[in-house]
Amino acid sequence: MSDFAPYTLLIQHAAQVLTLAGGPPDRPLAGPDLSSWTIIEQGYVACVDDKIVAVGRMSKLNLAHLGPDTRLIDASGCVVMPGLVECHTHLVFGGNRADEFERKLRGESYLDILAGGGGILSTVRATRAASEAELLAHSLHHLKGFRRYGVTTLEAKSGYGLDRDTELRLVRVAREAGQQQAVRVVPTFLGAHVVPPEFKEAGPRTYVDFILREVLSDLKGEAAFVDIFCEDGAFPLDVSRYYLEQAHKMGFGLKIHAEQLHDLGGCEMAAELGATSIDHCDYLMPDAAARIAQQTAGRTVAVLLPLVPLFLRQQKFADGREFIDSGLPVAVSTDFNPGSCPSKNLWLALSVACLKMGLTAKEAVAAVTLNAAWAIAQQHDCGSLEPGKRADVLVLNVSSVAEVPYWLGENPVRDVVIGGALIA
């Protein structure tokens, strides 16, 4: 690209540009770095085609780069920031579980409903019964909703098929949905979500052996990560370790759902194996978080999901403040799914992370952008406003970073730019 190529898009006169730049290049933001990234007052972001080429103060803008075809976006009085990165969603599924929500309101617990054949298994039945066209249509509908909230990159887990053909179909649908609209979709294989009815008598170890033998070889190049739910009623610690070890030998990156409802040691185990992220972490103890941070040199990201305990009416939230102070990188996501978080509102998750997990405004913004990108290995191309990265940019109807978590539950997005294009 020529140094003198005219800008194709210029977002100018921003009250603040939240760059997320200035941290270490080789690992996620952690500790003081999580809030010491650069904010530019009265700034601009310039793009050529689908890439960011310049970010700076308006007083330093080189007008020679403006041409007759440069599209100008006036961001006066607004915050400009990177597109949101959703690093933990269950995008593709059939049906919904509104009936179980009523049961939860009457006092039934998440694990009680699961043990009775509901919960995840209820969605498995609906997903297996849905056609591929129906699943794709539902996924595109949900992605449209995410896009309205400013999500420009999204991880989509499988896990509601629990048989070979349906699980492969869910990954295929996620990839197809990503190709049919602007939001980038990163598939993750969560075939080890719970043990399906067909393997109930054989048990968790036999089921993961089936996945390793019959499914993972067909996912090479289709999903970069495998995930497993390490929890009572799902997969015990020893089976989770075995599965992740074998999947890693096959070349997959590792993730884990762990310490959501109990402290079973899944987060430390997965981090020891080199997991890219450890997700939920509500029962992860601060001393264990500190060991993980030290053991992984701050490269494993703890993905916090504050809307899940909120929706399940639980009292225990991950101790994000302790995690950050111990040097463990944190990201925040919704965990969008039909059972424990039917919400696409990552702004609400960000606010609840501040209110219930102890994050500051700047830390929370970093947790839904750059650190979320690290959690799905997309940090090279999104999560910050820096030259060379994909031009995924938001213009918000707020004037400072402090306002981002303040307007509880509101959607502050005015404009969404994905790949240098303004999305209607």
Side-chain angles (χ1 to χ4, degrees):
M1 184 183 298
S2 168
D3 289 340
F4 295 98
Y7 298 152
T8 54
L9 177 69
L10 177 66
I11 304 171
Q12 59 182 338
H13 302 298
Q16 289 186 338
V17 177
L18 313 185
T19 69
L20 278 297
D26 60 340
R27 60 187 185 275
L29 300 175
D33 289 336
L34 196 62
S35 59
S36 61
W37 44 267
T38 301
I39 295 178
I40 299 173
E41 308 284 345
Q42 294 302 311
Y44 73 90
V45 178
C47 312
V48 173
D49 298 325
D50 65 342
K51 299 294 182 184
I52 297 170
V53 295
V55 182
R57 292 183 62 85
M58 285 300 299
S59 60
K60 302 293 186 181
L61 176 63
N62 186 347
L63 297 178
H65 287 285
L66 301 185
D69 295 324
T70 303
R71 181 163 191 170
L72 301 177
I73 295 179
D74 183 5
S76 296
C78 296
V79 162
V80 171
M81 65 174 285
L84 300 184
V85 179
E86 263 283 15
C87 59
H88 184 128
T89 84
H90 301 252
L91 177 71
V92 189
F93 58 86
N96 67 66
R97 303 218 297 265
D99 59 327
E100 292 180 8
F101 180 59
E102 289 286 332
R103 292 168 63 185
K104 289 170 189 170
L105 294 179
R106 292 194 296 269
E108 289 190 64
S109 75
Y110 178 86
L111 288 180
D112 287 341
I113 293 171
L114 177 62
I120 293 167
L121 294 176
S122 172
T123 299
V124 168
R125 291 190 291 272
T127 302
R128 288 179 177 181
S131 69
E132 188 160 331
E134 290 172 330
L135 293 172
L136 178 58
H138 293 158
S139 299
L140 290 171
H141 166 77
H142 293 314
L143 283 170
K144 185 176 181 180
F146 277 115
R147 194 171 67 240
R148 290 195 185 106
Y149 282 118
V151 172
T152 57
T153 297
L154 175 143
E155 186 234 29
K157 300 180 188 295
S158 71
Y160 290 123
L162 306 187
D163 61 34
R164 180 184 179 280
D165 290 346
T166 310
E167 283 295 317
L168 293 176
R169 181 160 70 246
L170 298 183
V171 173
R172 186 165 62 246
V173 166
R175 292 180 66 86
E176 179 63 23
Q179 292 167 2
Q180 289 196 18
Q181 49 74 64
V183 178
R184 172 171 34 200
V185 175
V186 179
T188 287
F189 179 69
L190 182 58
H193 202 175
V194 294
V195 178
E198 299 88 340
F199 285 82
K200 185 175 181 179
E201 303 248 345
R205 173 61 185 262
T206 301
Y207 176 58
V208 299
D209 275 330
F210 163 76
I211 295 173
L212 292 165
R213 184 179 64 251
E214 302 290 341
V215 186
L216 287 192
S217 60
D218 290 323
L219 284 166
K220 292 294 184 68
E222 299 296 314
F225 294 99
V226 300
D227 198 342
I228 189 168
F229 186 20
C230 179
E231 185 53 81
D232 287 351
F235 295 91
L237 184 64
D238 60 339
V239 174
S240 299
R241 174 184 284 276
Y242 165 74
Y243 176 68
L244 292 178
E245 286 175 336
Q246 299 306 310
H248 190 56
K249 290 177 183 178
M250 297 176 69
F252 290 95
L254 306 181
K255 291 175 165 288
I256 192 169
H257 287 54
E259 273 68 81
Q260 178 183 355
L261 302 169
H262 302 91
D263 180 10
L264 302 182
C267 289
E268 279 198 86
M269 176 274 292
E272 177 190 330
L273 297 179
T276 301
S277 75
I278 50 177
D279 298 35
H280 284 288
C281 305
D282 292 314
Y283 283 81
L284 177 63
M285 295 295 103
D287 58 340
R291 289 193 296 270
I292 292 169
Q294 184 173 21
Q295 177 186 39
T296 66
R299 287 181 169 82
T300 294
V301 179
V303 177
L304 311 183
L305 307 167
L307 297 187
V308 174
L310 180 69
F311 188 76
L312 296 179
R313 300 199 302 172
Q314 296 169 345
Q315 302 303 311
K316 179 67 173 170
F317 287 76
D319 199 339
R321 179 78 269 136
E322 290 279 358
F323 297 172
I324 293 166
D325 291 345
S326 70
L328 182 64
V330 301
V332 169
S333 183
T334 58
D335 192 13
F336 172 69
N337 73 82
S340 60
C341 184
S343 173
K344 307 176 186 74
N345 191 343
L346 188 50
W347 302 106
L348 178 60
L350 178 156
S351 295
V352 177
C354 293
L355 293 169
K356 303 295 287 186
M357 295 178 170
L359 277 67
T360 67
K362 286 191 74 174
E363 290 169 344
V365 167
V368 297
T369 53
L370 186 56
N371 273 16
W374 276 95
I376 53 174
Q378 297 295 314
Q379 69 277 1
H380 62 285
D381 207 28
C382 65
S384 62
L385 301 179
E386 300 178 86
K389 287 200 171 183
R390 193 170 83 147
D392 295 347
V393 191
L394 306 181
V395 179
L396 307 185
N397 283 314
V398 297
S399 60
S400 72
V401 66
E403 285 191 67
V404 173
Y406 170 73
W407 296 107
L408 186 65
E410 290 197 14
N411 181 4
V413 174
R414 193 194 82 181
D415 297 316
V416 179
V417 173
I418 303 180
L422 184 64
I423 305 299

